[in-house]
Amino acid sequence: MSERRACSALGTDRSTVRYRSRRADDGAIRVRLHELAAERRRFGYRRLGYLLAREGTAMNHKKLLRLYREEKLTVRRRGGRKRALGTRRSIAVPQGPNQRWSLDFVSDAFTDGRRFRMLNVVDDFTRECLGLVPDTSLSGRRVARELDAIIARHGRPAMVVSDNGTELTSSAILRWSQDRQIDWHYIAPGKPTQNAFVESFNGKLRDECLNETLFTSLPHAKAVLARWKDDYNHVRPHSALGGATPAEVAAKSKSQAWPGHAPARLAITAQIGHQQERALLLIG
């Protein structure tokens, strides 16, 4: 039977039967997507798109999502997370580098079961990881020494934000902040969202590094975390920065003259024990 007669019997247009797709197979892009996804197992399609764009392969985000799904690269979510209840209020964002640093501790374990901790220091404006210090013991004096080393490299912050951990409320830290004339703000107990920038960093560190690595010793942990910190600051695209890296934002901000201005002060009351303490929080 001829094609004309078959199409007539089926009621189908001949141009539809003869149509051949002109869409490229995008084989090279699919291979590169697989390679990047293997290197960055916890990256979604948007962040992989940033990496492809750096290599000169820019495409529509809808096409990128289609290829990402067809190659079955979707990242599986790990567990659930708590949802904040009650009224939400956005945290004030600094308007320049070194206006506010955030501190927090993260813990993990070696393969033999021993525990170790990491001190994380983040600039809330550039999102740059200024310090990632692993050790089996991190006292208040050690935290003060590490902060002095970071200040020597990046300059002095106007404010430091942290929780109410014993190391961070020690007399060594109180004396350090007074001697350096740096405001130290303690968030309300049980309110990690008040320290959201470093908590977000902690989540990325846990998801992309700690959960992907078996640490055999402290030197091994220091080497792995140093490489990850360098990658986070200089290579990894940050979605909150429009795909730029924290190091790029920091370099751009240093080249600009940030005009001095008197930041507004927002009074925040925190319940500590049986007493009410009133703290002043700088907002840009």
Side-chain angles (χ1 to χ4, degrees):
M1 183 181 292
S2 66
E3 178 187 280
R4 184 191 302 273
R5 193 170 178 184
C7 291
S8 177
L10 295 174
T12 304
D13 195 279
R14 293 171 61 195
S15 61
T16 303
V17 175
R18 292 178 176 179
Y19 177 77
R20 295 294 179 268
S21 175
R22 300 190 182 96
R23 177 184 292 174
D25 61 354
D26 299 312
I29 297 177
R30 293 174 187 267
V31 171
R32 188 56 183 153
L33 265 178
H34 272 282
E35 294 173 351
L36 291 174
E39 296 173 4
R40 313 278 184 165
R41 293 174 40 176
R42 302 302 299 173
F43 276 19
Y45 81 97
R46 292 183 184 276
R47 195 163 278 118
L48 291 177
Y50 290 140
L51 297 179
L52 286 174
R54 289 181 186 175
E55 299 175 356
T57 306
M59 68 182 70
N60 184 281
H61 71 279
K62 291 181 287 186
K63 177 181 178 180
L64 176 62
L65 178 59
R66 176 176 61 81
L67 297 178
Y68 180 78
R69 287 176 172 173
E70 289 177 357
E71 297 303 313
K72 297 181 173 58
L73 299 175
T74 306
V75 177
R76 180 176 298 177
R77 290 185 177 272
R78 284 176 171 159
R81 65 183 181 92
K82 295 181 185 177
R83 299 291 177 177
L85 302 177
T87 304
R88 288 189 174 190
R89 184 176 60 181
S90 58
I91 187 171
V93 179
Q95 300 303 307
N98 287 343
Q99 288 189 5
R100 188 174 68 215
W101 292 359
S102 296
L103 271 68
D104 200 10
F105 289 99
V106 173
S107 64
D108 204 66
F110 299 118
T111 53
D112 59 5
R114 292 181 300 135
R115 305 291 299 181
F116 71 98
R117 308 177 73 197
M118 289 148 278
L119 170 65
N120 300 336
V121 184
V122 176
D123 188 303
D124 290 355
F125 177 76
T126 64
R127 308 298 205 277
E128 188 176 13
C129 175
L130 305 178
L132 181 54
V133 184
D135 210 333
T136 54
S137 176
L138 291 167
S139 63
R141 292 181 179 179
R142 174 69 182 281
V143 172
R145 292 199 303 269
E146 294 295 341
L147 290 176
D148 281 333
I150 295 174
I151 289 175
R153 296 193 302 268
H154 298 278
R156 190 172 67 91
M159 169 177 283
V160 175
V161 181
S162 74
D163 59 17
N164 297 271
T166 55
E167 301 87 352
L168 302 178
T169 56
S170 63
S171 58
I173 289 297
L174 297 177
R175 190 184 314 112
W176 180 88
S177 62
Q178 184 176 6
D179 293 343
R180 305 301 188 277
Q181 297 183 347
I182 296 175
D183 293 335
W184 197 292
H185 173 71
Y186 294 101
I187 65 174
K191 299 291 184 181
T193 54
Q194 294 182 6
N195 205 11
F197 291 99
V198 74
E199 291 291 345
S200 175
F201 172 82
N202 292 345
K204 296 178 177 66
L205 172 64
R206 176 76 64 186
D207 188 43
E208 299 175 12
C209 180
L210 301 185
N211 289 346
E212 299 289 315
T213 310
L214 292 175
F215 299 104
T216 58
S217 63
L218 185 60
H220 178 222
K222 289 181 178 180
V224 171
L225 292 173
R227 289 195 300 268
W228 189 87
K229 174 190 170 186
D230 182 73
D231 180 84
Y232 178 87
N233 287 334
H234 296 90
V235 180
R236 181 187 187 279
H238 203 297
S239 57
L241 304 177
T245 64
E248 292 173 349
V249 175
K252 182 178 179 181
S253 62
K254 288 179 182 178
S255 64
Q256 297 175 350
W258 292 95
H261 64 282
R265 293 180 178 268
L266 174 66
I268 293 182
T269 301
Q271 179 74 30
I272 303 179
H274 298 288
Q275 299 179 349
Q276 293 277 350
E277 292 193 4
R278 195 170 182 79
L280 292 176
L281 175 63
L282 287 173
I283 58 175

